[in-house]
Amino acid sequence: MLNPTFGDVQDAADRVTGVVRPLTVIAADRDLVPGAQAYLALEFLQHTGSFKARAAVNLVAALVHSRAVPSAGIVAATGRNADLGFAWAAQQFGVPATVFLAADAPEAKVARLRGYGAEVRVGGAGQADAQRAARTFMARTGAIDAYTHDDLLTSAGAGTILLELAAAVPDLDTVVVAVGVGGMFSGITAAADRLGIRVVGAEPDGSRALHAALAAGAVLEVDIDSVAADSLGALRICGAALA
């Protein structure tokens, strides 16, 4: 995986502007960080409820602009928030999207994906079975795996949050970022490095893929414990996040 650069994030900003919702930033109560002014970036107000919409739009827009979208479109099979982002982004650009989910996927998630115009195929005892079905579908149709096709584009798309945050808070000196797999973390870091902003990565005690990778000096798989949402928790960090 290539590491996103500041230029990649700027290019992403050009693609996502006018498609995604602008970042909403509010001042936090003074007692949140005593002795300093803190702000909250409300990206949960984004389309699909997370930053994944930015990542997905940057990828799909780049594919459309380069005329690299196959007739079968894109495929998503993560079982996570990324599926919603890719389905929504595909709808914005008129690109077919097929999502594969395990049989125990929440009905609300299935309904929401279909509401975004995606074809949803449900089956298999777990998400690993759904991913195998997705790979078979891609081999047969030539559809693109949206999640793995270009990590640089998705990371840079998520990194656009930092550009908007820095514009809203001109004296911003530190940003705290939830890590997860690390795509957003690496995209935001690419922008923050150029702007002279410190980045602090945050992980739950029960999902410490970045901490483990830093300790080992390499990406490795970790156990996940006590993560309350089915769409959260990363078994491993991406290479760009470790870099």
Side-chain angles (χ1 to χ4, degrees), residues 98-122:
T98 306
V99 179
F100 288 78
L101 295 174
D104 62 354
E107 281 298 324
K109 182 176 289 185
V110 174
R112 196 171 178 193
L113 286 164
R114 287 175 174 156
Y116 291 147
E119 178 181 349
V120 183
R121 301 191 180 190
V122 180

Side-chain angles (χ1 to χ4, degrees), residues 8-169:
D8 293 326
V9 178
Q10 287 183 309
D11 290 343
D14 290 338
R15 295 190 188 101
V16 307
T17 298
V19 184
V20 304
R21 290 174 177 150
L23 180 67
T24 297
V25 181
I26 64 171
D29 292 343
R30 285 284 182 177
D31 59 357
L32 181 65
V33 183
Q37 177 61 63
Y39 297 84
L40 302 175
L42 307 187
E43 189 65 354
F44 72 90
L45 298 175
Q46 188 55 258
H47 294 288
T48 80
S50 82
F51 70 92
K52 298 291 187 180
R54 294 175 180 269
V57 165
N58 193 40
L59 172 68
V60 174
L63 290 173
V64 169
H65 295 162
S66 63
R67 299 183 179 179
V69 182
S71 59
I74 63 173
V75 169
T78 70
R80 299 175 183 270
N81 286 335
D83 293 347
L84 295 167
F86 288 125
W88 179 82
Q91 183 183 54
Q92 306 315 300
F93 291 90
V95 171
T98 306
V99 179
F100 288 78
L101 295 174
D104 62 354
E107 281 298 324
K109 182 176 289 185
V110 174
R112 196 171 178 193
L113 286 164
R114 287 175 174 156
Y116 291 147
E119 178 181 349
V120 183
R121 301 191 180 190
V122 180
Q127 195 57 33
D129 293 330
Q131 290 170 349
R132 281 191 287 272
R135 287 194 291 271
T136 299
F137 176 82
M138 287 184 286
R140 178 171 57 83
T141 65
I144 288 174
D145 183 345
Y147 189 68
T148 64
H149 179 71
D150 196 321
D151 292 326
L152 188 150
L153 284 170
T154 53
S155 294
T160 60
I161 293 171
L162 195 281
L163 299 183
E164 295 181 33
L165 181 58
V169 185

Side-chain angles (χ1 to χ4, degrees), residues 158-187:
T160 60
I161 293 171
L162 195 281
L163 299 183
E164 295 181 33
L165 181 58
V169 185
D171 58 348
L172 182 68
D173 59 11
T174 301
V175 61
V176 181
V177 184
V179 176
V181 175
M184 177 178 66
F185 173 72
S186 59

